[in-house]
Amino acid sequence: MQFKHPELLYALFLLIIPIIVHLFQLRKFKSVPFTNVQFLKELTIQTRKSSQLKKWLTLITRLLLLACVIIAFAQPYISNSDSFSTKSETVIYLDNSFSMQSPSINGSLLNTAIQDIIENVDENEQISIFTNDANFNNTSIKAIKNDLIQLKHSPNQLAYDAAVLKGKQVFSNDESSIKNLVLVSDFQQKSEALTATNDSLINLKLVQLKPSNQSNITVDSVYVSKTTVENLELTVRINNQGAPIETLPVSLYNDDKLIAKTAVNITDKATTNFTIPANAVFNGRIVIEDRNLQYDNTLFFNIDRREKINVLAINETDDTFLKKIYTSDEFEYTSSDFSALNYNTLEQQNLIVLNELNDIPNSLATTLKSFTDKGGSILIIPSNDAVLNNYNQLFTIYGLPSFNTSNTVEKKITTINFSHPLLSNVFDKRITNFQYPKVNSFYTNASGSVSSILSFEDGVSFLAQSGNAYRFSAALNTENSNFKNSPLIVPVLYNIGKQSLKTGDLFYTIGKENTIDIATQLQQDDILTLVNGENSVIPLQQTYNNKVELITNTYPNIAGIIAVQNKDTFLKNLSFNFDRNESNLNYFDTQNISNTTIDNSVASAISDIKSATNVNELWKWFVIFAVIFLIIEMLILKFLK
């Protein structure tokens, strides 16, 4: 037992006063003569004994009464803390990621956690709560109750170690206070686990909320699997975590109109196909029915009319193979002899191909540098009779290794960089044995720090990339190489052309950095905006001659189809979806995390915090005891003779 005002206990020494009064009474007795006391002697003895007992009982009750009053004023209490005024600080991390949509007995995991916090934390107690996208510091449940009830799920989740670090920063610098950091989450398995370090100043509590089941169905992705003149075939990938499903309805919408509906039989993964018109605007939505996580039941995508990519070939040799690759349905291909080149047309292009030029004058090199600085791309195919000094000056501008000498030894092209963006989606599997294309002569060069896409058998680069510049190290004419007949030439040159203008994916992922090219020419001070209903935002953007490059990351914050506008002029639609990494409902075993306290519920964690700092005040009991002793004293004085 401890006392809030222990100095008042010195008043207990005053109890000696009633003791002195009772033991040393100063009253003198006066003798009264009486004729015969024989008859009264026995009664007198009995009365004196009763008087002594009464005095001792009165003394004891008064001492106890006074002692209880003094102790009551000293305010005794029982507490686990060392001091009556020990301050307790509580910070709660409330995970509101999409995996917290999983159902529990009382609704979703997030709603269950919010309800437990509201019911178990005193409404006026000072507390700090933060989520993945909101902060409520040094407030009370009464003040933020409505905010908690209306709390929405966040597409981005803090890493668990980052949540601990952020929580520690919320605490005050008072080292004497008891600090409790509570992490409320389902602790879904991520790439980085929670590694709690031992901290003597902060009590780390983990509350792992467990769903009633771990089943979930996800619309994972959609892509164009086949293209014809009239139609596009869309392939939808669906993932299932749980028991196999014989019939899962899958619906395709264009805006709000149902276009098609099918059903799939799914165990772990499944695909289904839809056919839509080609070269038509399609604001699509794939929808499935699932009672568990809701955010991944819908996937938005859109297909706009194809924006043709401008390709200019500057030739001193035959360019028939380029015309066959850069066809009119996707590209605006222009061919020009080097001797008749109009420099004014260069800035209007997306890709410029230098097709076996013997020489590259400084004027052309300077213009090409300005062109690529504004977002354009170039492809260099050298001539067998190239003027190396001028070529190397151009290579120096782009950080490409210089050509040394022409080597007339036959070389096979054997190495493919499958992970390069040009080829990452070309092959279903990595091919190691195929009919290797070859060259009869090539220019020796060092690999340097450039990215090699195709390489010779000795590791020397055949096709390299540095920024927006691509370069072959050998001429592609039929006398020097059979590369034109190789199956590699079409995907390589086609993707170089496609990547010179990022015409847009079917959809983009919210929370990741996306670079999107919008084919338009802006006037001075014009700015593109992303519009979603009544909401609009100006994204990060870079303006070039014939396009605007948009960079999105944190916006939009909801899935859907967003319009790109120049003032009131509509340009195109972009679709955004949430990352599907929250769809995998596998969880960490928190029992294996050291330096933490594990609780089964929010109520249990808050109860433990309260008990650690609970102060059981006893002064009321001593007041009651004082009243009782007062009543006893009054009864003794009245009834004990």
Side-chain angles (χ1 to χ4, degrees):
M1 186 170 65
Q2 298 170 286
F3 296 90
K4 185 177 180 180
H5 303 292
E7 65 275 5
L8 296 181
L9 295 178
Y10 288 111
L12 292 174
F13 289 112
L14 298 177
L15 296 179
I16 196 173
I17 296 176
I19 296 176
I20 294 174
V21 171
H22 282 74
L23 293 180
F24 303 101
Q25 294 189 28
L26 301 177
R27 189 176 67 177
K28 296 181 179 180
F29 294 94
K30 183 179 180 181
S31 299
V32 179
F34 202 78
T35 56
N36 189 357
V37 297
Q38 181 72 31
F39 177 74
L40 299 175
K41 186 175 182 180
E42 183 176 354
L43 180 62
T44 303
I45 295 174
Q46 182 179 355
T47 304
R48 286 180 178 177
K49 290 181 178 180
S50 299
S51 177
Q52 291 295 323
L53 177 60
K54 180 179 180 180
K55 290 178 180 179
W56 281 108
L57 290 176
T58 303
L59 173 62
I60 292 173
T61 55
R62 287 177 178 174
L63 290 175
L64 291 175
L65 186 153
L66 293 173
C68 287
V69 171
I70 294 171
I71 293 174
F73 276 103
Q75 297 189 26
Y77 66 91
I78 298 175
S79 175
N80 293 331
S81 58
D82 297 332
S83 172
F84 180 84
S85 59
T86 299
K87 181 181 177 182
S88 175
E89 300 180 53
T90 301
V91 176
I92 298 178
Y93 163 65
L94 180 58
D95 181 8
N96 63 331
S97 61
F98 282 119
S99 64
M100 294 287 283
Q101 288 181 344
S102 296
S104 66
I105 298 176
N106 299 320
S108 69
L109 295 180
L110 179 61
N111 290 339
T112 300
I114 292 173
Q115 192 64 32
D116 285 349
I117 291 174
I118 292 175
E119 291 179 354
N120 292 280
V121 178
D122 296 336
E123 64 175 10
N124 294 317
E125 178 184 350
Q126 188 178 63
I127 193 171
S128 296
I129 299 176
F130 68 97
T131 68
N132 296 312
D133 55 1
N135 298 288
F136 308 100
N137 294 338
N138 299 322
T139 183
S140 65
I141 295 298
K142 184 177 181 180
I144 64 172
K145 182 177 181 180
N146 291 334
D147 293 322
L148 291 178
I149 294 175
Q150 298 174 7
L151 190 64
K152 296 182 179 180
H153 293 273
S154 169
N156 301 315
Q157 181 182 5
L158 292 173
Y160 298 119
D161 286 344
V164 172
L165 180 60
K166 183 176 180 179
K168 290 181 178 181
Q169 294 173 345
V170 177
F171 290 112
S172 68
N173 295 325
D174 185 2
E175 296 184 359
S176 63
S177 64
I178 300 175
K179 298 178 174 62
N180 298 286
L181 176 57
V182 184
L183 268 60
V184 182
S185 174
D186 57 356
F187 291 97
Q188 185 186 31
Q189 284 187 359
K190 303 290 184 181
S191 57
E192 297 180 358
L194 173 61
T195 54
T197 57
N198 187 19
D199 192 333
S200 60
L201 298 177
I202 297 177
N203 302 318
L204 180 58
K205 294 180 175 292
L206 306 182
V207 179
Q208 184 173 29
L209 305 179
K210 297 183 178 180
S212 55
N213 68 78
Q214 293 181 221
S215 300
N216 186 46
I217 309 172
T218 306
V219 183
D220 181 72
S221 60
V222 61
Y223 59 94
V224 177
S225 55
K226 186 177 181 181
T227 303
T228 64
V229 176
E230 296 181 351
N231 296 314
L232 298 177
E233 183 179 85
L234 300 176
T235 298
V236 180
R237 288 179 177 172
I238 301 173
N239 296 335
N240 177 41
Q241 181 177 347
I245 301 174
E246 292 184 0
T247 305
L248 175 68
V250 183
S251 302
L252 172 65
Y253 290 84
N254 184 12
D255 291 321
D256 294 327
K257 182 180 179 181
L258 179 63
I259 302 300
K261 191 170 185 177
T262 186
V264 297
N265 185 325
I266 182 171
T267 302
D268 297 323
K269 297 180 179 180
T271 60
T272 187
N273 298 322
F274 294 100
T275 301
I276 64 174
N279 201 25
V281 176
F282 197 95
N283 297 321
R285 180 162 47 101
I286 306 293
V287 180
I288 62 171
E289 297 178 4
D290 179 33
R291 296 181 179 179
N292 296 298
L293 297 187
Q294 300 298 309
Y295 88 99
D296 56 6
N297 291 349
T298 302
L299 184 76
F300 295 92
F301 71 96
N302 72 281
I303 299 175
D304 286 326
R305 287 188 175 88
R306 298 176 184 175
E307 301 168 351
K308 292 187 177 182
I309 300 172
N310 297 326
V311 178
L312 170 64
I314 306 174
N315 307 301
E316 283 192 336
T317 188
D318 180 54
D319 67 336
T320 304
F321 73 104
L322 294 175
K323 293 178 181 178
K324 292 180 179 180
I325 295 174
Y326 300 124
T327 55
S328 59
D329 58 334
E330 294 183 86
F331 300 92
E332 193 69 47
Y333 180 79
T334 305
S335 177
S336 173
D337 289 335
F338 179 53
S339 58
L341 178 62
N342 182 359
Y343 280 67
N344 294 327
T345 63
L346 298 186
E347 291 187 351
Q348 301 171 8
Q349 309 305 316
N350 300 115
L351 172 66
I352 297 176
V353 181
L354 306 183
N355 186 18
E356 299 193 24
L357 303 186
N358 293 327
D359 191 13
I360 301 177
N362 290 334
S363 58
L364 178 58
T366 302
T367 305
L368 291 176
K369 179 62 169 61
S370 175
F371 167 73
T372 54
D373 286 344
K374 295 177 180 179
S377 299
I378 63 170
L379 171 62
I380 306 169
I381 305 173
S383 167
N384 287 329
D385 301 319
V387 179
L388 294 185
N389 287 337
N390 289 342
Y391 264 85
N392 289 336
Q393 288 180 8
L394 181 64
F395 296 157
T396 301
I397 293 175
Y398 293 108
L400 290 164
S402 299
F403 283 164
N404 297 323
T405 57
S406 177
N407 194 329
T408 56
V409 177
E410 180 181 298
K411 286 281 188 179
K412 291 183 178 181
I413 304 162
T414 60
T415 304
I416 302 174
N417 184 358
F418 293 98
S419 60
H420 192 278
L422 283 182
L423 304 175
S424 58
N425 297 318
V426 172
F427 301 95
D428 292 331
K429 60 181 180 179
R430 300 201 169 194
I431 303 172
T432 56
N433 185 15
F434 61 97
Q435 187 174 359
Y436 303 125
K438 64 180 182 178
V439 298
N440 297 323
S441 66
F442 65 96
Y443 292 100
T444 59
N445 63 95
S447 58
S449 59
V450 298
S451 175
S452 292
I453 303 169
L454 302 174
S455 301
F456 294 116
E457 51 196 323
D458 58 358
V460 175
S461 174
F462 171 67
L463 174 61
Q465 177 193 6
S466 178
N468 290 354
Y470 300 86
R471 182 197 67 185
F472 286 97
S473 59
L476 301 185
N477 59 72
T478 54
E479 290 80 9
N480 188 61
S481 173
N482 65 351
F483 185 72
K484 289 182 181 180
N485 300 323
S486 168
L488 290 175
I489 190 170
V490 174
V492 168
L493 296 188
Y494 175 82
N495 286 333
I496 289 176
K498 293 293 286 185
Q499 291 196 10
S500 65
L501 175 65
K502 299 178 180 63
T503 54
D505 299 331
L506 293 183
F507 63 90
Y508 300 91
T509 301
I510 297 173
K512 294 184 178 180
E513 184 173 295
N514 302 294
T515 302
I516 309 164
D517 287 347
I518 308 298
T520 185
Q521 292 182 339
L522 297 184
Q523 302 298 320
Q524 188 175 4
D525 298 331
D526 282 352
I527 296 176
L528 298 187
T529 57
L530 300 179
V531 180
N532 182 15
E534 296 181 355
N535 300 321
S536 64
V537 69
I538 299 174
L540 184 65
Q541 54 194 274
Q542 179 68 46
T543 303
Y544 299 102
N545 286 334
N546 55 357
K547 69 177 182 179
V548 178
E549 182 182 83
L550 302 182
I551 299 176
T552 66
N553 192 335
T554 58
Y555 186 88
N557 54 8
I558 58 173
I561 298 177
I562 311 297
V564 181
Q565 293 185 187
N566 179 10
K567 298 180 180 178
D568 295 329
T569 303
F570 170 82
L571 298 179
K572 67 177 300 181
N573 282 325
L574 301 174
S575 295
F576 292 88
N577 294 288
F578 293 116
D579 199 324
R580 268 27 184 183
N581 59 7
E582 292 282 325
S583 300
N584 188 15
L585 301 183
N586 295 320
Y587 306 99
F588 287 118
D589 183 3
T590 55
Q591 300 293 335
N592 297 328
I593 302 176
S594 58
N595 302 315
T596 62
T597 303
I598 310 300
D599 289 285
N600 296 324
S601 66
V602 176
S604 174
I606 294 175
S607 177
D608 291 344
I609 293 173
K610 287 182 177 180
S611 63
T613 57
N614 187 42
V615 176
N616 187 11
E617 299 187 23
L618 305 177
W619 65 270
K620 296 179 181 179
W621 290 102
F622 284 93
V623 171
I624 293 173
F625 291 149
V627 173
I628 292 174
F629 289 132
L630 178 61
I631 295 173
I632 292 174
E633 180 182 357
M634 294 175 64
L635 294 175
I636 290 174
L637 294 176
K638 184 174 182 180
F639 296 104
L640 188 60
K641 302 298 183 180

